Amino acid sequence: RRGKVRRRLAGNEPEVNEEWISDKDRFAFHYARQDDRLTYPMVREDGELRPASWTEAFAVAARGLRSAGAGAVLTGGRLTAEDAYAYAKFARVALDTNDVDFRARPHSAEEASFLAAHVALSGDVTYADLEDAPVVVLLGLEPEDEAATIFLRLRKAAMRGRTQVVSVAPYASRGLRKMRGRLVATAPGDEVEAIGSLRDAEHGVTKDAVILVGERLAATHGALSAALELARSTGARLAWVPRRAGDRGAVEAGALPNLLPGGRPVAEASARVDVAAAWGVQSLPGKVGRDGNAIVAALAKGDVGGLVVGGVDPDDTADPAAFRAALDAAGFVVSLELRDTDVTRVADVVLPVAPVTDKAGTFVSWDGRTRDFVAVFSNPASLPDLRILSGIADEMGRPLGFRTVTEVRDEMQALGPWDGARPALDAGKAPRASKPRANGLALASWKQLIDLGSMQDGEVHLRATARRPVARLGRSAYESVFGMLEGEAGRDQLVTISGDRGSVTLPVVVADLPDDVVWVPARSFGRGVLAELASPGSTVTVKGASK
C-alpha cells in the first residue's frame, strides 16, 4: 500500500505450512524499508566512497577484479536460487575459479562433502513425513528457534501422540518440552558418540524414523558421518535443515567449492565438460576450490586478491576478526548489499541489490521444494544480484549470457540435474584440538528465533518480544561458581564468561546441562558469541560477577 509492504502472510501452500507462520516470518520485513537502503552504486576514490552510475560501477569493478589477480566469491543466505546460480557461474566464468562458498557461518570440509554427496538433488522427506514418523531425531537443530515451521508441525504431531521427538543437545530447550521430546544430553564435541548410541532400541530409531540434521552439526568433526551411518544402519531417512532461506537453493545452484550447478561434482571431468558446453566456454577450472575459511586465510596471505561479497555479515562468520582482517588485506573488494554494513564500509565498489519485494525469484525449501515468487514492486533502479553480476562480467569480457530472472531460470532448467554418480563422503582430517583451559567449560550456543539479526532491524515491537539473553549452567557448574544452590538462589546472579575473543556478563539460569557445559544465545547481545566471546565448542571460563 502506497509503495510500502504493510503485512506479510503465510503462502498458500498447505502441504508446507498449513497456513501457519512464525512471528518472525510474519513481521520481520522492515529491513528492506527504502529510507535505510542503499539506492545507488558507489566507487572508492581517494579513500572515500562516492556516487557513481551503474555503467561506471560495472567498469570499475571489472577493472579492479582483473588487476587484483586471483579472485573469490563469498555469499550469505539471503540469495534466491537464481542469484546463487549467478554467483556460482560468475566465479567459474568471470573469475576462473571454484573459490566460492555460500556458508557465511562456521562450516567444515566434511560438511561440503556431505552436501555434495547426500543433500544436493535430495528430497525424499516431506513435512507430512514428520507427522507420520514414529520417531524424529534432531541433530544440531533446535526447531523452535531455527526452523519454526518444522517446530509447529512436530509439536502438532507430538501433541496427538503420533511422533516421539529425540534431540541430541546440551539441554532440554523450551521448544523440546513443547514437543514433549526426549533429550540425549550431549556436550559440544561429543555428538559422534551420542549419535552412535541412538541405535539402541531405547530410542526407537528404525527404518520408519526421520533424522533431521541442522547446520550446527558441522561444528563437530565426524558428526555428519555419524548421522549418515545412523541412517544407513537403521534404515531411517535423513534430511538437512539449514537455518537460512537461501541455503538449500545455493547447494543446488553450485555455490560451493566442490559442486557445480545441478549437483555436479567439480572433481568429475565429465561434469565440468557438461557445464562448460552448456555455458559456451572452452573449459572450467578443474581444481576443487577453497571453502569460506580457506578463502579468508588466502586473502590474509595474499594468495587471493579480488573478492566479491554478497550479503555476508562478518559477525556471522567462523572468525569475525579474521574475516575483517581479510577484507583489509584484499587487493579489491566488490560488495553487493541491501544496506550499509561493515563490508560496504571497506569495499572498493558498492552495488545496491534488490530485496525480495523488488524482484522475482525462487527459494528452495529444506525438503527440496521450489517456491517461486513474483516482484511486489516495479523499481527499475533496484537490480537483482544476477543482473549486477552480469554487468560486471560483460565489462570483463566474459559474459554470463543472461540478464533477467527468467533467462536464468531457463538456463538452470536446460542444464538440469546431474545424472552421474554422486561423490563419496569424505570426512577429511580432524582439526587440531585446542588445548583445554584449566577449570573451563565447553561453550554451547545457537541463535534464538528473535534476536539481533540484521533482517529483523526496524521492527521494534517484534524485537521487544525476544527472550532475555541468559547463560545456562548445570547445577554442579553453578555450585562451583556460587556455592550450594538453595531455593531461589541463582535468580538474580550474574556470571562473566571469558573466551579467546572476549568476555560477556549475563544473568545465569540453572538448567539440566552436562556438568562441563555453559550455554549462551549466539546473537542476542552485542555483536554476538562468534565476535565477542569464542567459537562454539571451545573452552571458556565462568566466574561470578557483581551486579
Side-chain angles (χ1 to χ4, degrees), residues 75-391:
T75 72
R78 64 164 169 75
L79 301 180
T80 64
E82 294 85 356
D83 286 336
Y85 178 89
Y87 280 101
K89 187 174 183 180
F90 183 87
R92 276 82 185 207
V93 173
L95 300 182
D96 192 32
T97 184
N98 286 312
D99 290 355
V100 54
D101 203 341
F102 72 87
R103 297 171 297 166
R105 52 173 173 76
H107 56 271
S108 67
E110 179 185 20
E111 184 192 32
S113 180
F114 168 80
L115 295 176
H118 296 278
V119 174
L121 308 181
S122 67
D124 61 341
V125 180
T126 67
Y127 281 95
D129 292 334
L130 301 182
E131 291 189 52
D132 294 335
V135 174
V136 174
V137 180
L138 307 176
L139 304 177
L141 176 67
E142 173 48 51
E144 185 181 32
D145 286 326
E146 299 176 301
T149 308
I150 288 178
F151 164 72
L152 292 170
R153 191 66 70 97
L154 288 177
R155 183 171 181 264
K156 170 188 172 186
M159 292 179 69
R160 291 182 174 181
R162 295 168 59 174
T163 300
Q164 172 68 63
V165 177
V166 177
S167 177
V168 173
Y171 76 100
S173 67
R174 184 183 75 170
L176 186 63
R177 294 194 300 272
K178 290 178 181 178
M179 294 183 289
R180 302 177 182 177
R182 186 167 69 243
L183 174 71
V184 179
T186 307
D190 294 342
E191 287 86 355
V192 174
E193 182 179 351
I195 293 169
S197 74
L198 297 180
R199 286 193 290 270
D200 297 340
E202 170 193 356
H203 298 291
V205 183
T206 65
K207 65 181 180 66
D208 297 319
V210 171
I211 302 169
L212 297 182
V213 175
E215 62 188 37
R216 287 185 288 110
L217 199 63
T220 298
H221 179 78
L224 289 168
S225 299
L228 286 171
E229 175 57 24
L230 176 65
R232 186 201 64 77
S233 62
T234 61
R237 288 177 292 167
L238 181 147
W240 179 66
V241 182
R243 195 182 64 84
R244 292 178 165 109
D247 280 4
R248 178 58 195 270
V251 173
E252 311 292 350
L256 279 167
N258 60 333
L259 205 61
L260 295 168
R264 293 168 171 81
V266 166
E268 179 62 50
S270 60
R272 299 196 303 273
V273 170
D274 186 20
V275 177
W279 286 352
V281 296
Q282 289 188 345
S283 63
L284 296 179
K287 183 180 178 181
V288 172
R290 300 176 178 93
D291 65 13
N293 297 330
I295 290 171
V296 168
L299 285 163
K301 290 173 60 178
D303 294 339
V304 171
L307 182 64
V308 176
V309 185
V312 175
D313 183 343
D315 290 333
D316 285 340
T317 60
D319 188 339
F323 187 90
R324 288 183 169 86
L327 290 175
D328 292 336
F332 196 84
V333 177
V334 178
S335 174
L336 284 73
E337 192 51 271
L338 286 166
R339 301 158 63 203
D340 187 33
T341 69
D342 286 352
V343 179
T344 65
R345 294 180 194 114
V346 300
D348 297 283
V349 177
V350 176
L351 297 155
V353 295
V356 291
T357 53
D358 290 13
K359 64 183 178 183
T362 303
F363 285 113
V364 181
S365 61
W366 66 272
D367 58 348
R369 300 172 190 260
T370 55
R371 309 265 55 88
D372 60 292
F373 59 91
V374 298
V376 176
F377 301 125
S378 177
N379 184 354
S382 190
L383 302 183
D385 299 61
L386 62 89
R387 175 64 185 92
I388 294 171
L389 294 169
S390 176

Side-chain angles (χ1 to χ4, degrees), residues 3-4 29-40 338-340 355 379 457-458:
K4 292 184 179 181
F29 56 80
H30 288 271
Y31 69 90
R33 64 191 187 281
Q34 184 69 31
D35 59 347
D36 192 37
R37 276 172 42 195
L38 298 171
T39 56
Y40 50 82
L338 286 166
R339 301 158 63 203
D340 187 33
N379 184 354
D457 288 351

